[in-house]
Amino acid sequence: MTIGREKVLLLSVMRNEGPYILEWLAHHFSLGIDDLLIFTNGCTDNTDKILDRLEALMPHRVKHQPNPKVMFPDRGKWHIMALRYAGHFGRCKAADWLYVTDADEFLNLRGDLETLDQFFDATGPADAVSFTSVAFNSNGHRTASTDLVTRRFTQTSSQFEAAAAQNTPVITAVKTLYRNTVQGPRRPHRPVTNAFSQTGQKWINGSGVEMLPEFTDGAGKAINALGSRDHAQVNHYAIKSAAEFLLKVDRGDAVHADRLGASEQYWTHGNRPGDIDTSGAKQSADAKAMLDDFLADTQLRELHEESFALRETRLAEILKTEAGENLARAIGFYD
């Protein structure tokens, strides 16, 4: 599947996302993503092994590489260095479209839309789309689960309905799908395009509304979530359950190791009560079929299942430390 006959490449950076990879990849491939180029570093939960096996099974669709920053630990940023490196790969140069996203983010096509082709049928043609990111809270979950991420977490951490009633903007980050012909440095949220409005190309949001030059001709990475999500949004499962959050803090952030330093505050912000949103909770038939195909491979299934066990072992070690126990109590893990 493609956008028309045009190839879409997904670029990502991961560290210790073992239990989530197969669901995430099946989901995005079912939308019309053709190709995955992914960079990892320092994985201890089979993330790298799972990706290596996926590459062995489908080398035409998956390419796994060490993040180049492992060779230059004192230089640059994890995501930006990986994106710069990605531009040197033939599969990146050959792609018609690029989409940069993370393992805790699921592109959610809303309503009856199931593919990117259907999305563009609804919005009309465009050269770039910035999808509003919607964060989801823990849904009260304390422990990890083998159930689908998209089914477990269905409450946002923002009250969009109340904000809309009060006509109060809710500013959230975006993730952007864009043609490879769009010029400018590639960044995690969007390409930086100082003169996009003068190119004759079209940039829209998830409602199909054209973005103004004040956004397209700058480096801003956030927009108003109200009115920008009619056809699509990005579901961001940033904290998941308390147990999974403890593992995330222990791992450090794949983009910047110090981002989660104020971990209790990060949890409190991410776990605010919001609206119920089940628009991304139903797995499509195509995504389910692909996930079943993945798990039918004995080696891949064993690596996937072992990733849960490895994380549980690490969680037990975290909870034996004073810092780990303190954070666990602060976020309600023992409640």
Side-chain angles (χ1 to χ4, degrees):
M1 298 176 67
T2 58
I3 297 177
R5 296 182 178 274
E6 297 180 316
K7 187 174 185 179
V8 188
L9 173 65
L10 187 157
L11 300 167
S12 191
V13 174
M14 283 188 192
R15 187 180 181 196
N16 283 0
E17 300 284 2
Y20 317 116
I21 296 170
L22 300 185
E23 176 192 356
W24 177 84
L25 189 58
H27 172 82
H28 285 94
F29 276 179
S30 74
L31 298 181
I33 302 293
D34 304 281
D35 203 1
L36 172 69
L37 176 55
I38 189 160
F39 301 90
T40 64
N41 66 287
C43 298
T44 58
D45 72 346
N46 281 356
T47 291
D48 48 355
K49 296 177 182 179
I50 289 169
L51 291 167
D52 284 343
R53 182 57 183 167
L54 284 166
E55 182 175 349
L57 292 171
M58 45 197 332
H60 59 297
R61 300 195 71 178
V62 176
K63 181 64 178 175
H64 171 222
Q65 289 286 130
N67 194 313
K69 186 169 158 47
V70 298
M71 297 183 292
F72 310 101
D74 299 324
R75 300 183 191 177
K77 296 182 178 181
W78 289 102
H79 232 132
I80 292 177
M81 188 173 288
L83 292 179
R84 287 175 176 169
Y85 185 39
H88 296 282
F89 285 75
R91 66 205 308 144
C92 187
K93 294 177 181 178
D96 299 292
W97 294 81
L98 302 177
Y99 180 53
V100 182
T101 195
D102 298 324
D104 59 4
E105 297 171 325
F106 285 70
L107 178 55
N108 173 12
L109 302 184
R110 296 163 64 87
D112 295 330
L113 306 183
E114 291 191 348
T115 68
L116 289 169
D117 274 340
Q118 293 173 0
F119 171 81
F120 284 112
D121 285 343
T123 64
D127 302 285
V129 188
S130 281
F131 301 107
T132 302
S133 178
V134 175
F136 284 72
N137 64 26
S138 72
N139 254 103
H141 292 296
R142 293 189 301 108
T143 59
S145 168
T146 58
D147 197 6
L148 298 178
V149 169
T150 51
R151 288 179 183 163
R152 294 166 58 207
F153 305 103
T154 56
Q155 186 180 57
T156 70
S157 59
S158 294
Q159 297 182 358
F160 297 110
E161 294 176 5
Q166 298 171 11
N167 199 28
T168 302
V170 181
I171 307 301
T172 70
V174 298
K175 285 300 175 79
T176 304
L177 168 73
Y178 55 96
R179 290 187 182 276
N180 213 351
T181 54
V182 172
Q183 299 298 309
R186 280 64 167 116
R187 294 292 183 264
H189 295 276
R190 55 164 293 175
V192 179
T193 50
N194 296 326
F196 183 89
S197 63
Q198 302 173 36
T199 65
Q201 296 176 303
K202 185 177 181 181
W203 195 321
I204 62 174
N205 63 25
S207 290
V209 177
E210 189 163 1
M211 303 298 291
L212 298 175
E214 61 190 57
F215 177 84
T216 65
D217 295 5
K221 57 186 181 182
I223 62 176
N224 186 3
L226 304 183
S228 63
R229 302 179 291 125
D230 291 350
H231 301 303
Q233 66 187 35
V234 172
N235 287 15
H236 188 194
Y237 306 102
I239 60 173
K240 300 187 180 76
S241 68
E244 288 159 294
F245 182 72
L246 288 166
L247 286 161
K248 178 173 182 173
V249 173
D250 174 68
R251 174 204 70 187
D253 194 83
V255 180
H256 192 291
D258 299 326
R259 180 181 289 183
L260 299 179
S263 49
E264 183 180 347
Q265 291 84 354
Y266 189 104
W267 169 268
T268 300
H269 180 80
N271 203 35
R272 295 170 299 166
D275 302 327
I276 298 300
D277 183 351
T278 60
S279 62
K282 182 180 179 181
Q283 187 180 43
S284 73
D286 286 346
K288 183 181 185 305
M290 180 165 286
L291 180 57
D292 288 344
D293 284 345
F294 288 156
L295 294 174
D297 178 75
T298 301
Q299 186 175 340
L300 190 54
R301 185 181 67 253
E302 289 176 351
L303 289 169
H304 172 72
E305 292 173 351
E306 187 182 36
S307 70
F308 290 93
L310 289 169
R311 289 167 65 88
E312 287 299 315
T313 298
R314 181 56 191 155
L315 178 62
E317 294 170 352
I318 294 168
L319 295 174
K320 291 178 181 178
T321 68
E322 182 178 359
E325 183 179 11
N326 288 341
L327 179 57
R329 293 190 184 283
I331 67 173
F333 175 76
Y334 292 114
D335 291 348

